[in-house]
Amino acid sequence: MGEPVRVGVVVKTFPKLSETFILEELLGLEREGLDLEVFSLQRPTDDRTHAQNAELRASVHYAPSSLRVVVGHHIRLFASHPLGYIRTLAKSRVASGSERRRAFAEAGWLGAEAERLGLSHLHVHFLNAPTTVAELAASATGLPFSVSAHAKDIYLTPEDELERKLDKASFAVTCTEHNQKYLSEITTRSVQCVHHGVQLDLFAPKDEVPHKPVLLAVGRLREKKGFDLLIEACSVLRQDGVAFECRIVGYGPEDRRLEQLIEERDLGDHASLLGACTRSEVIAQYEQASMLVQPCRITDDGDRDGIPNVLLEAMAMRLPVISTRVSGIPELIRHRDNGLLVEQEDVDGLVSAIRQVLDDAELGRSLGRAARATIENEFSSDRSAKRIAEQLRPAHIAYVVKGYPRLSELFIADEIHRMEQLGHRLRLLVLKPADEPVQHAIVEEIRAAAVYLPRLTSISKAPLTTWLRTNLPNYQADLVSVARRSPLGFTRAVADASRQSWRARRGRRPRKVYLKEFFQAAAVARNVLDEPGVLHLHAHFGHGATTVTWLAATMSRRTFSFTGHAKDIYRQDLNPAGLLARKMRAAEFVATCTKANHQHLAAVEPTADVRTIYHGLNEEFSRLLTQETMVETHTSSPSDPLRIVSVGRLVPKKGIDLLIRSVAELRDQDVPVIVRVLGEDGDEGDRLRLLASELNVDDLITFVGPVTQSALFAEYRSADVFCLPCRILDDGDRDGIPNVLAEAMAAGLAVVSTPISGIPELVDDRSNGLLVPSEDSSALAKALSELHRDLELRRRLGAASRETISQRFDGWKGARMLAEQFDQVLRR
């Protein structure tokens, strides 16, 4: 899994003084260990370069201008990929014009050179001409390509062209959330926001504020930069008698107009254009400046900046910055916290902001300190490069999950994080869009970015023709791409989905749900085929996500496995007509989280390779434990209320209704208790609150709702007992081993539960917890009452439960077992 990653980076012009963000990214990717080759469509026109270009190890290749050389590249490409070349040639003729012909000529050079150099991927900056060339080269060679979108390449490119290019890219990133939102309204493909960053050591803060007020602006002299507005503001400041000097660094088409404006406003002694400067010269200007002023605007044709890199650089230098509320700039600058923001075209607002910084030295220092902290914490080039590098490194395993990230499914995020820590490179494909605003901290540490499939409407609530009209456009490209690239696998998946649809029919009508899952499978397969390094797929939950994964593996001709948990393997209606057994036979292996589940699955399909792999304690909770001491018993006498905590989605299998009934019995017995129920509302939420009210115990029970891991840990720390009286439902649904049960035990709480499913594998009655019969609220009340009276029993059970988790439910042990299974599959 450690093969070198050779990537071709395609740009329009390199090197270029005004595009330091590309240089920063290239240097960062090399620090991440990637082997790069740079392909520039044009030769540089700047007569100077940044000194940091000398640090770049990558060779730079320029598109040839000689017709003879171009023809030679095309002959080589045709010889190695005749069918791909002919197909690409036909595509290039669809759009006539010299630009398209030039793009095809350059694509022949790019494709031939990528083959010669043994590249595995093309990564393109800018969605306009460079992506057109890379798109054609990828079409001819079969190489995957990805795109990085920035500013005018987004807003000055027709939407249909953007949609086509993004749809074909293996992944797409852009430098602002503003851009991300715009592109997400055009395409159904996932576009990730990766902010640019700067080298923190290169942009070291200055030690002293200069005595003479210097307003600095840096950038290409273009209309979107708003430098004419800065000159107008300087005119007002001069008329008001303010002492200052304004320096504008840069070059471009607005050069002459800005010179004339300075002359017209009689600012010759106050404002000057310094022309093109190298990075070291710009840093020297930052060191002499009092502030950076960038009054950016959106031009009439839609052109705009994303987040100008000069803002990052100046903020890293601890300069107060002033800019406008356009595009992605408010993602960087928080008004009056780490900078000042004014409306675009607002000269009076600009004057006011400049005067605030000039008149209030402490404000300037405060803004500068906060600006530096922002860059250190959120906008370092190393952080940005790591995110891009992770996408460019070939993944070997694609995880397929229904939803992500989910508070109630921390075990999935924890498993993904541990797999990455153990060396597996993952692709994360999610069937449903993210729908929870809060997430666990561990999610931030996962390197694999989630790719969300296009949204699908319910197929059961609409006529089939209506559903197809609504959803087919979002998946048509995936279906066509997979059918073309893997016709045999696609045909087999059609047959498998059709047979299952007929087997599971209701009356004479086939089940429509498998059409929906077939669409999702095509999108998953398309993502897998776009990244040839992916050799294996793994799903969580044995019903919908695994059905999608099974079909996607068939389409892409990859292997797959899945982890079964609870209702997904017990409820026959979720896997009707023998579907679970069929998927188990097709899978390389099946993992499950309890021995009870293992026995059940072995009975469903005896020939399948089933492995019991306990989840173990999640890493985030383990870290919290290392920072805390063992839970102390809060109740010191029978007169103090017993503090009970219960955690889980409010669904019938958790048995929260039994806990409520037991509380009513305890109240009647004069046993004081306080209960806190944590978890998101499920099917039972309203009914449980009504039951508490009917039994007159709603003053004793608080329904808290979902919480993060750190908040949950605090709840364990303040409780005396954990209680979760799980049950098996009539349809077979049940818990395996609730993860919250292991967490509570690890926190040193005495636990009370029921002897169903995998719980007795964790809780030994009266040894490290109490087990009461399922559906028996009186027995539950008796157990809780005993724990209220007997402080020593509670302490002994809590200590034993903590020891059980430390010895038998180590999360890393389970992770290593799963990683070894993946290793075996990949070796085969």
Side-chain angles (χ1 to χ4, degrees):
M1 292 182 292
E3 72 273 14
V5 183
R6 304 209 69 220
V7 177
V9 180
V10 185
V11 297
K12 186 175 183 180
T13 307
F14 186 85
K16 192 172 183 178
L17 279 175
S18 61
E19 292 178 357
T20 54
F21 57 91
I22 292 180
L23 176 60
E24 287 277 9
E25 182 178 294
L26 293 172
L27 292 170
L29 292 177
E30 289 191 334
R31 288 193 295 272
E32 285 292 309
L34 271 65
D35 188 359
L36 306 180
E37 300 285 341
V38 178
F39 295 89
S40 178
L41 304 185
Q42 297 178 2
R43 293 186 175 273
T45 55
D46 300 330
D47 56 2
R48 312 171 74 193
T49 62
H50 299 300
Q52 286 69 36
N53 278 288
E55 301 174 16
L56 191 66
R57 296 191 302 272
S59 297
V60 182
H61 309 268
Y62 293 102
S65 55
S66 165
L67 179 61
R68 180 180 61 82
V69 175
V70 170
V71 170
H73 286 302
H74 277 258
I75 290 173
R76 283 168 45 204
L77 186 59
F78 175 76
S80 58
H81 295 281
L83 294 179
Y85 184 91
I86 293 171
R87 181 176 63 246
T88 305
L89 178 61
K91 286 181 181 178
S92 70
R93 286 178 174 172
V94 173
S96 60
S98 59
E99 287 188 12
R100 189 70 174 182
R101 288 194 293 271
R102 176 176 176 174
F104 180 72
E106 291 170 338
W109 157 73
L110 177 60
E113 286 295 276
E115 287 275 303
R116 181 180 67 83
L117 295 166
L119 303 184
S120 58
H121 189 95
L122 298 174
H123 184 61
V124 196
H125 276 277
F126 300 108
L127 273 169
N128 43 23
T131 298
T132 302
V133 174
E135 177 189 9
L136 293 170
S139 172
T141 61
L143 278 176
F145 76 95
S146 52
V147 296
S148 184
H150 298 280
K152 72 176 182 180
D153 57 307
I154 299 173
Y155 298 101
L156 302 188
T157 301
E159 290 189 2
D160 59 343
E161 183 179 336
L162 291 176
E163 183 179 18
R164 186 193 77 240
K165 291 175 176 178
L166 291 168
D167 185 65
K168 291 182 178 180
S170 62
F171 73 87
V173 297
T174 189
C175 51
T176 71
E177 293 171 8
H178 177 85
N179 291 348
Q180 182 188 41
K181 181 180 179 182
Y182 176 82
L183 291 172
S184 296
E185 292 172 353
I186 293 173
T187 178
T188 57
R189 305 296 285 179
S190 173
V191 179
Q192 302 161 41
C193 174
V194 180
H195 289 124
H196 294 152
V198 296
Q199 285 182 257
L200 296 173
D201 56 345
L202 188 62
F203 293 91
K206 58 187 178 181
D207 295 327
E208 297 181 4
V209 176
H211 297 293
K212 181 179 181 180
V214 175
L215 318 182
L216 181 66
V218 183
R220 287 269 284 160
L221 304 187
R222 291 186 175 276
E223 183 185 1
K224 66 181 177 182
K225 299 294 183 180
F227 293 150
D228 57 321
L229 301 171
L230 175 57
I231 293 171
E232 295 290 0
C234 288
S235 177
V236 176
L237 291 170
R238 185 188 64 79
Q239 293 171 17
D240 292 345
V242 177
F244 70 93
E245 179 186 353
C246 177
R247 302 173 184 174
I248 300 176
V249 174
Y251 63 99
E254 290 268 292
D255 192 321
R256 182 62 191 141
R257 189 173 81 87
L258 295 177
E259 281 185 353
Q260 290 177 342
L261 190 59
I262 290 171
E263 186 177 335
E264 290 171 3
R265 298 296 183 265
D266 194 20
L267 290 170
D269 295 334
H270 291 79
S272 58
L273 304 181
L274 302 187
C277 290
T278 64
R279 175 174 280 184
S280 58
E281 291 170 338
V282 173
I283 291 173
Q285 291 296 329
Y286 289 144
E287 291 173 344
Q288 299 169 33
S290 305
M291 68 189 78
L292 182 85
V293 187
Q294 296 285 128
C296 304
R297 58 155 66 97
I298 299 175
T299 62
D300 292 341
D301 63 3
D303 192 12
R304 69 199 75 182
D305 269 321
I307 297 176
N309 252 47
V310 295
L311 288 175
L312 305 177
E313 295 171 357
M315 291 172 72
M317 298 287 292
R318 210 182 286 152
L319 270 179
V321 296
I322 300 171
S323 193
T324 51
R325 294 183 177 90
V326 303
S327 194
I329 294 172
E331 299 165 34
L332 171 68
I333 300 177
R334 298 181 293 272
H335 184 57
R336 295 197 68 80
D337 174 20
N338 62 1
L340 298 178
L341 291 173
V342 302
E343 300 303 323
Q344 62 172 325
E345 310 292 348
D346 184 0
V347 173
D348 291 339
L350 197 60
V351 170
S352 175
I354 293 170
R355 295 201 67 156
Q356 287 180 58
V357 177
L358 291 177
D359 295 342
D360 189 342
E362 181 50 41
L363 172 65
R365 285 190 289 269
S366 172
L367 294 176
R369 288 191 297 268
R372 172 71 184 188
T374 298
I375 303 304
E376 289 178 344
N377 296 331
E378 304 173 41
F379 289 88
S380 74
S381 57
D382 285 343
R383 174 175 176 164
S384 303
K386 283 181 186 296
R387 292 193 61 189
I388 299 292
E390 195 58 36
Q391 295 297 297
L392 291 172
R393 292 189 180 104
H396 297 85
I397 298 169
Y399 261 71
V400 183
V401 294
K402 184 177 181 180
Y404 173 90
R406 286 180 168 172
L407 285 174
S408 61
E409 294 174 1
L410 174 58
F411 57 90
I412 293 179
D414 186 67
E415 180 182 300
I416 290 169
H417 178 255
R418 292 184 196 265
M419 288 302 105
E420 289 187 335
Q421 296 298 105
L422 291 171
H424 282 287
R425 302 200 188 285
L426 307 180
R427 191 139 175 86
L428 181 53
L429 306 173
V430 188
L431 305 186
K432 294 181 65 176
D435 55 5
E436 294 182 0
V438 180
Q439 63 186 33
H440 294 293
I442 200 73
V443 174
E444 287 293 322
E445 299 182 32
I446 292 173
R447 295 189 296 269
V451 175
Y452 294 92
L453 271 57
R455 190 183 299 272
L456 281 170
T457 60
S458 172
I459 197 169
S460 62
K461 297 179 180 179
L464 182 58
T465 53
T466 302
W467 186 87
L468 286 171
R469 273 199 308 271
T470 303
N471 296 284
L472 182 58
N474 291 339
Y475 281 84
Q476 186 170 357
D478 296 314
L479 293 161
V480 171
S481 175
V482 176
R484 178 178 62 81
R485 296 158 71 181
S486 181
L488 180 59
F490 187 84
T491 302
R492 287 182 57 192
V494 169
D496 287 339
S498 300
R499 280 195 294 265
Q500 178 59 31
S501 180
W502 180 251
R503 289 189 184 106
R505 65 189 181 277
R506 292 172 176 168
R508 302 176 66 90
R509 294 190 175 188
R511 288 281 297 275
K512 295 187 294 183
V513 67
Y514 300 108
L515 177 61
K516 178 178 180 179
E517 290 172 348
F518 184 86
F519 275 30
Q520 292 174 317
V524 170
R526 161 76 180 283
N527 273 277
V528 169
L529 291 169
D530 280 347
E531 190 160 353
V534 172
L535 304 175
H536 184 78
L537 290 75
H538 185 74
H540 267 276
F541 297 105
H543 52 319
T546 295
T547 303
V548 170
T549 304
W550 167 50
L551 294 173
T554 301
M555 291 182 193
S556 59
R557 309 190 74 172
R558 302 299 197 268
T559 56
F560 82 99
S561 55
F562 68 93
T563 298
H565 295 273
K567 71 178 182 181
D568 54 302
I569 59 175
Y570 287 100
R571 279 180 49 180
Q572 293 189 13
D573 61 311
L574 297 178
N575 283 296
L579 179 57
L580 179 58
R582 199 167 297 113
K583 290 184 290 193
M584 290 176 66
R585 287 195 296 272
E588 287 288 307
F589 69 90
V590 179
T592 192
C593 50
T594 72
K595 293 178 181 176
N597 287 355
H598 189 144
Q599 293 171 357
H600 170 74
L601 289 169
V604 170
E605 180 46 61
T607 66
D609 181 5
V610 181
R611 304 298 176 101
T612 299
I613 301 176
Y614 290 118
H615 290 319
L617 205 62
N618 72 75
E619 189 171 0
E620 187 175 342
F621 196 85
S622 297
R623 293 174 189 170
L624 292 168
L625 278 176
T626 61
Q627 301 166 10
E628 298 286 344
T629 56
M630 187 170 170
V631 171
E632 298 293 334
T633 302
H634 294 280
T635 307
S636 57
S637 74
S639 62
D640 293 330
L642 183 72
R643 302 182 184 186
I644 303 169
V645 64
S646 188
V647 185
R649 289 189 73 232
L650 303 186
V651 293
K653 67 181 178 181
K654 301 294 182 181
I656 305 297
D657 57 316
L658 297 169
L659 175 58
I660 294 172
R661 294 183 188 282
S662 73
V663 169
E665 294 187 36
L666 291 169
R667 181 207 54 204
D668 294 342
Q669 298 167 17
D670 295 324
V671 178
V673 296
I674 297 173
V675 179
R676 289 175 66 80
V677 179
L678 288 77
E680 60 189 286
D681 256 23
D683 304 335
E684 288 257 290
D686 291 339
R687 192 176 79 83
L688 292 174
R689 282 183 281 269
L690 179 61
L691 178 63
S693 176
E694 290 173 348
L695 295 177
N696 294 318
V697 293
D698 47 340
D699 59 327
L700 304 178
I701 301 174
T702 302
F703 293 90
V704 179
V707 297
T708 63
Q709 192 75 165
S710 57
L712 179 58
F713 183 76
E715 293 282 350
Y716 292 141
R717 293 281 295 145
S718 62
D720 299 313
V721 172
F722 176 86
C723 182
L724 196 64
C726 302
R727 56 158 65 98
I728 299 176
L729 303 183
D730 292 342
D731 63 5
D733 190 13
R734 70 198 75 186
D735 269 324
I737 296 176
N739 288 305
V740 291
L741 183 59
E743 292 170 359
M745 293 175 70
L749 284 175
V751 299
V752 183
S753 193
T754 51
I756 67 157
S757 195
I759 294 173
E761 300 168 36
L762 178 65
V763 181
D764 185 7
D765 187 35
R766 307 200 74 81
S767 173
N768 61 0
L770 298 181
L771 295 177
V772 301
S774 179
E775 306 293 350
D776 191 339
S777 60
S778 295
L780 183 61
K782 183 179 179 181
L784 293 170
S785 177
E786 182 181 7
L787 290 173
H788 177 254
R789 293 191 314 272
D790 193 337
L791 300 184
E792 181 54 37
L793 173 64
R794 198 187 321 151
R795 291 192 184 97
R796 179 173 62 79
L797 293 178
S801 65
R802 188 180 179 95
E803 183 67 17
T804 297
I805 299 302
S806 66
Q807 290 185 356
R808 294 170 47 200
F809 281 79
D810 176 12
W812 280 109
K813 180 179 179 181
R816 290 188 184 95
M817 290 175 64
L818 181 60
E820 177 57 29
Q821 288 297 115
F822 287 148
D823 288 338
Q824 291 180 19
V825 171
L826 294 174
R827 284 195 292 268
R828 290 197 294 269

